[in-house]
Amino acid sequence: MSCKVVKVSDVAAPFIQELKDQISKLEVKPLLVAFLANDDPAAKKYAEWTEKTCAETGLRFELRECPRTELEDRIVEANEDPNVHGIMVYYPVFGGTQDGYIQNTVSYRKDVEGLCHKYRYNMYHNIRYLDQQETQKCIIPCTPLAMVKILEHIGVYNKILPYGNRLHGRIITVINRSEVVGRPLAALLANDGARVYSVDIDGIMEFHRGEGLKLKKHEVFETKITLEEALKLSDVVITGVPSPNYRVDTSILKDGVIAINFSTAKNFNDDIKEKASIYVPSVGKVTVAMLERNLLRLYDYQTQL
Amino acid sequence: MSCKVVKVSDVAAPFIQELKDQISKLEVKPLLVAFLANDDPAAKKYAEWTEKTCAETGLRFELRECPRTELEDRIVEANEDPNVHGIMVYYPVFGGTQDGYIQNTVSYRKDVEGLCHKYRYNMYHNIRYLDQQETQKCIIPCTPLAMVKILEHIGVYNKILPYGNRLHGRIITVINRSEVVGRPLAALLANDGARVYSVDIDGIMEFHRGEGLKLKKHEVFETKITLEEALKLSDVVITGVPSPNYRVDTSILKDGVIAINFSTAKNFNDDIKEKASIYVPSVGKVTVAMLERNLLRLYDYQTQL
């Protein structure tokens, strides 16, 4: 039993230090406004924790609570307020497709979560800059971005390989294909050269780059592979199933697998430590660091104008 | 029993005549490209019918079938092709929020269905033009727009009242709150002065304008009213429940109610004719006329440039 359990605070630490250094130089501290328009106590707790984390790095955080019927107007107000540098929303609000409408109502200039269509489209198409001069990098959704940083930290990205191809040869299963995390994550990893099995309750899709890795963006294929077959092949298994009852069957996994859970629930059994070489039980701290990093980036773009 | 059953071909006729006249003057006929990326036989049948209807008015229609994994690239290709004037997609493709992503991938310049965020945002905010000079009207989603035209035809809009306020005093229940039809419809009707009860399985919301109708856009309120209470009050009941088993209980409805069904299923029992003053059993023909009208509008914008 030699599994290394990675504390993500170690992964987050250098980012937080960098954030502190940059923020300390700013006269006006960036302001992140978070909207809470549901009654979810977990969201409220998460908001309090985000506020604390922002305070530690020197960022301003303001939680704005409102009835969901007023949410859209409050977002529009914040979009137009030059004192607000970043906006985030605790989902679900209405649930389903109406929340997609809300995501797109947040101006891309202030979308710290990177969930509006513009950023998702650019990510799927591997468009890395907002401008032709390549001075403004696109915002990437926080959780998938956090995952990339964790994978870099634990050596899954191979720095010997050229940038943009550092996952070449890796097989990764991602159990979750939500528009917020799973699908963007699969695309990001495939854009960097991995073969990704993207799993949800409706089936499995394969994301990878075209023949000879000549293509700049990933391709997606329907696949008949089963979850068991995908798991047997995978070097890395990433889970995000928000159910307290879901568990990955450890016995199927490759010996020395890298196991990462981003769900708030625990998707791996304790015996994962007897099988995995590296186990990352949660990613939240890195996600918030990426949220702050996105905020700082948007602040720069706004103040450059 | 004096219920008038409205044939929507009568409602569509003047629009179709107007379309024919306009199209006959055009040297290059507008081209509508429709993407079919699911195995739904109903969608295919609907596509064939749309093709026939387009041919009758002189429009060109091209059905492009592809695996769903290629859909996004095919849409991007059509976005960039100057020979394509309008784009539509038969949903569901992936289902859920990923279809929302596809909707926003269609360029607003070619979005005949009016489903991209820009048009929906403008509609909800009662922004009626794309440009400040007010030369280019926004595209409105086809089915809600068809509904407005039907309501105008059957006299629910009162032409004595000023434009933008012609539903003042009307109470309307809409059973369906999808992002594609029910919610935009509720907003459109409220923007024109109606009080709307918007019903879905999660509950009822009330859409209406602010006090004294001073506000330019509607407001939305949570309401504790029950469906039975809402139906008892309603002058107009509009249904769009895609289930073969769902029926509105006729006995609850106001005597002389106006009943409109836009679902492909039949949401009213036959005894509706003993209660309603006007019954509109389907709206499809007007919807396609509005689709063609949107296409012609987008064609004009593209060729004006």
Side-chain angles (χ1 to χ4, degrees):
Chain A
M1 222 170 90
S2 62
C3 176
K4 184 172 172 62
V5 179
V6 173
K7 278 193 293 178
V8 284
S9 49
D10 294 343
V11 185
F15 292 106
I16 289 171
Q17 192 52 53
E18 199 186 332
L19 284 163
K20 280 184 181 169
D21 292 347
Q22 291 179 328
I23 295 161
S24 68
K25 292 175 199 146
L26 300 173
E27 221 169 289
V28 178
K29 307 302 180 196
L31 171 62
L32 172 60
V33 167
F35 287 101
L36 183 63
N38 63 29
D39 298 324
D40 182 3
K44 188 137 188 180
K45 214 174 145 191
Y46 186 66
E48 282 162 10
W49 180 62
T50 307
E51 179 165 19
K52 196 169 143 270
T53 313
C54 283
E56 281 165 12
T57 49
L59 294 169
R60 289 180 297 149
F61 177 90
E62 199 180 305
L63 183 65
R64 297 187 182 172
E65 294 185 66
C66 67
R68 59 183 187 167
T69 50
E70 289 170 24
L71 176 61
E72 183 173 356
D73 286 345
R74 300 290 301 273
I75 290 172
V76 171
E77 188 183 279
N79 280 342
E80 290 165 0
D81 181 351
N83 298 312
V84 176
H85 304 101
I87 298 171
M88 65 175 291
V89 178
Y90 294 104
Y91 295 100
V93 179
F94 296 94
T97 50
Q98 194 171 344
D99 283 358
Y101 174 83
I102 296 288
Q103 279 168 3
N104 282 309
T105 301
V106 175
S107 164
Y108 78 94
R109 288 276 168 208
K110 302 194 175 178
D111 179 14
V112 286
E113 295 183 283
L115 295 180
C116 70
H117 184 77
K118 191 185 187 77
Y119 290 132
R120 287 193 289 137
Y121 182 89
N122 286 357
M123 187 194 55
Y124 287 126
H125 291 253
N126 209 5
I127 298 168
R128 303 205 170 191
Y129 291 89
L130 276 171
D131 55 340
Q132 286 204 309
Q133 297 76 36
E134 303 200 342
T135 62
Q136 298 191 341
K137 274 197 170 180
C138 289
I139 297 299
I140 292 178
C142 303
T143 306
L145 181 60
M147 207 69 73
V148 168
K149 297 302 178 189
I150 290 166
L151 292 173
E152 284 177 345
H153 181 93
I154 64 181
V156 176
Y157 274 74
N158 186 344
K159 289 184 186 170
I160 298 290
L161 295 173
Y163 176 73
N165 201 24
R166 290 178 173 170
L167 293 177
H168 190 182
R170 295 293 192 174
I171 299 178
I172 303 177
T173 292
V174 179
I175 307 179
N176 172 304
R177 198 164 62 237
S178 70
E179 281 300 289
V180 178
V181 188
R183 191 166 80 98
L185 178 60
L188 278 176
L189 302 179
N191 281 343
D192 284 331
R195 189 204 305 174
V196 182
Y197 294 112
S198 171
V199 181
D200 78 358
I201 42 167
D202 296 327
I204 302 186
M205 300 191 89
E206 185 179 328
F207 288 57
H208 62 71
R209 291 224 297 245
E211 266 186 38
L213 298 180
K214 279 173 218 151
L215 285 176
K216 275 194 183 155
K217 74 181 265 294
H218 67 279
E219 293 184 331
V220 183
F221 299 86
E222 310 276 356
T223 169
K224 291 220 164 73
I225 199 170
T226 65
L227 177 57
E228 184 167 340
E229 288 165 342
L231 289 173
K232 273 184 186 164
L233 290 171
S234 293
D235 307 302
V236 182
V237 175
I238 301 174
T239 59
V241 182
S243 153
N245 303 315
Y246 183 85
R247 289 286 194 286
V248 173
D249 179 356
T250 307
S251 70
I252 298 171
L253 300 175
K254 233 168 113 165
D255 189 47
V257 71
I258 293 172
I260 304 176
N261 173 50
F262 68 82
S263 171
T264 48
K266 200 177 140 179
N267 292 163
F268 291 101
N269 285 310
D270 285 332
D271 64 0
I272 187 65
K273 293 178 200 166
E274 289 157 35
K275 195 77 171 266
S277 58
I278 297 175
Y279 174 44
V280 185
S282 73
V283 309
K285 283 188 183 170
V286 186
T287 302
V288 175
M290 292 306 117
L291 189 80
E292 296 181 62
R293 201 160 169 263
N294 284 347
L295 174 66
L296 212 61
R297 195 161 270 178
L298 291 170
Y299 176 90
D300 281 345
Y301 300 165
Q302 288 162 40
T303 49
Q304 271 167 25
L305 291 177
Chain B
M1 218 169 95
S2 63
C3 176
K4 186 175 169 62
V5 179
V6 173
K7 279 194 293 179
V8 284
S9 49
D10 294 343
V11 185
F15 293 106
I16 289 172
Q17 192 52 53
E18 200 187 329
L19 285 163
K20 280 183 182 169
D21 293 346
Q22 292 180 328
I23 295 162
S24 67
K25 292 176 201 146
L26 300 172
E27 221 168 291
V28 178
K29 307 303 179 195
L31 173 61
L32 173 59
V33 167
F35 287 102
L36 183 63
N38 63 29
D39 297 324
D40 182 3
K44 189 137 189 184
K45 215 175 144 190
Y46 187 66
E48 283 161 12
W49 180 63
T50 307
E51 179 165 20
K52 197 170 143 269
T53 312
C54 282
E56 280 164 14
T57 49
L59 294 168
R60 289 181 297 149
F61 177 90
E62 199 180 305
L63 183 66
R64 297 186 181 174
E65 296 185 63
C66 67
R68 60 183 187 167
T69 49
E70 289 170 23
L71 177 62
E72 183 173 355
D73 285 345
R74 300 290 301 274
I75 290 172
V76 171
E77 189 183 278
N79 280 342
E80 290 166 1
D81 181 351
N83 299 311
V84 176
H85 304 103
I87 297 171
M88 64 176 293
V89 178
Y90 293 105
Y91 295 102
V93 179
F94 296 95
T97 49
Q98 194 171 343
D99 282 357
Y101 174 81
I102 297 288
Q103 280 167 4
N104 282 309
T105 300
V106 175
S107 164
Y108 80 94
R109 288 275 167 209
K110 304 196 174 177
D111 179 14
V112 286
E113 296 185 282
L115 295 180
C116 71
H117 184 77
K118 190 182 189 79
Y119 290 132
R120 289 192 289 135
Y121 182 89
N122 287 356
M123 188 195 53
Y124 287 125
H125 291 254
N126 209 4
I127 297 168
R128 302 205 172 192
Y129 291 89
L130 275 171
D131 56 340
Q132 285 204 308
Q133 297 75 35
E134 303 200 343
T135 62
Q136 299 191 342
K137 274 197 169 180
C138 289
I139 297 299
I140 292 178
C142 303
T143 306
L145 181 59
M147 207 68 73
V148 167
K149 298 301 177 189
I150 290 166
L151 292 173
E152 283 177 347
H153 182 92
I154 63 181
V156 175
Y157 274 74
N158 186 344
K159 289 184 185 173
I160 297 289
L161 295 173
Y163 176 74
N165 201 24
R166 291 178 170 167
L167 292 177
H168 189 182
R170 297 290 194 175
I171 300 179
I172 303 176
T173 292
V174 179
I175 308 179
N176 171 304
R177 198 165 61 238
S178 71
E179 281 299 291
V180 177
V181 188
R183 193 166 80 98
L185 178 60
L188 278 176
L189 302 178
N191 281 343
D192 284 330
R195 191 206 302 173
V196 182
Y197 294 113
S198 170
V199 182
D200 78 359
I201 43 167
D202 296 328
I204 303 187
M205 300 191 89
E206 185 181 329
F207 288 57
H208 63 70
R209 291 223 298 241
E211 265 185 41
L213 299 180
K214 279 175 220 151
L215 284 177
K216 277 195 184 155
K217 74 181 265 295
H218 66 279
E219 292 185 330
V220 184
F221 299 87
E222 310 275 358
T223 170
K224 291 221 165 71
I225 201 170
T226 64
L227 177 57
E228 185 167 338
E229 288 164 341
L231 289 174
K232 273 184 185 161
L233 289 172
S234 291
D235 306 303
V236 183
V237 175
I238 301 174
T239 58
V241 181
S243 154
N245 303 315
Y246 183 82
R247 291 286 193 284
V248 173
D249 179 356
T250 307
S251 70
I252 297 169
L253 301 175
K254 234 169 111 165
D255 190 47
V257 70
I258 293 172
I260 305 176
N261 174 50
F262 68 80
S263 171
T264 47
K266 199 176 138 176
N267 291 164
F268 290 101
N269 286 311
D270 286 332
D271 63 359
I272 187 67
K273 293 179 200 166
E274 288 157 35
K275 196 73 170 270
S277 57
I278 297 175
Y279 173 44
V280 185
S282 72
V283 308
K285 283 187 184 172
V286 187
T287 302
V288 174
M290 292 306 117
L291 190 79
E292 295 182 62
R293 203 160 168 260
N294 284 346
L295 175 64
L296 212 60
R297 195 161 271 176
L298 290 170
Y299 176 90
D300 281 346
Y301 300 165
Q302 287 163 38
T303 49
Q304 270 167 26
L305 290 177

